[in-house]
Amino acid sequence: GICEETGFRGYMQRPIEQRHGAPVAILISSFLFMALHLPKGWATLGMVPIILGAGVLLGLLAWSAGSLIPCIIGHTLMDIGLFAYWWTGIAGDFTARSIAETGVDQPFLIASVAFALALFVVLFAIAKLRRARASREFA
């Protein structure tokens, strides 16, 4: 949470952003964020787009706000949500079968709705933060 965001978005993304722009900085910090998480015992190769996407969204939050606070909050909420999701058994366990095997079942639908809602909230927050930052810069 706090340490990862301070490292990836604060010490890494911000200086790259100042030299090479936000897109390059967000991509570099996101790829390294993903590289740090892939060797974990819970990570599978299929999680590459999920972890990379989370890194990009957290990077966009930091860039949009010009602050680490929104991405620290976002990362903390993401961790709480993921661990609660796994620990409650809603998502099964790490040996859960893929959708190709199970079809569209209840856990898949719950995960899809939760993902869509969370993505909407994050994208909405990014847009709001960008507008607020732009109005502060021009004021």
Side-chain angles (χ1 to χ4, degrees), residues 52-115:
L52 181 63
V56 168
L57 290 174
L58 291 166
L60 283 169
L61 275 173
W63 171 70
S64 297
S67 168
L68 294 179
I69 293 172
C71 63
I72 289 170
I73 293 169
H75 194 141
T76 301
L77 290 173
M78 182 174 55
D79 284 350
I80 290 169
L82 287 172
F83 290 122
Y85 188 68
W86 287 323
W87 290 337
T88 60
I90 292 171
D93 56 27
F94 293 111
T95 61
R97 297 184 330 237
S98 71
I99 189 173
E101 295 176 44
T102 63
V104 177
D105 57 0
Q106 185 179 12
F108 175 79
L109 291 173
I110 291 169
S112 297
V113 169
F115 173 77

Side-chain angles (χ1 to χ4, degrees), residues 3-19:
C3 292
E4 286 180 333
E5 293 311 312
T6 301
F8 285 103
R9 272 29 104 184
Y11 288 109
M12 184 183 302
Q13 180 176 311
R14 187 73 180 131
I16 297 170
E17 212 175 282
Q18 291 170 338
R19 289 188 123 176

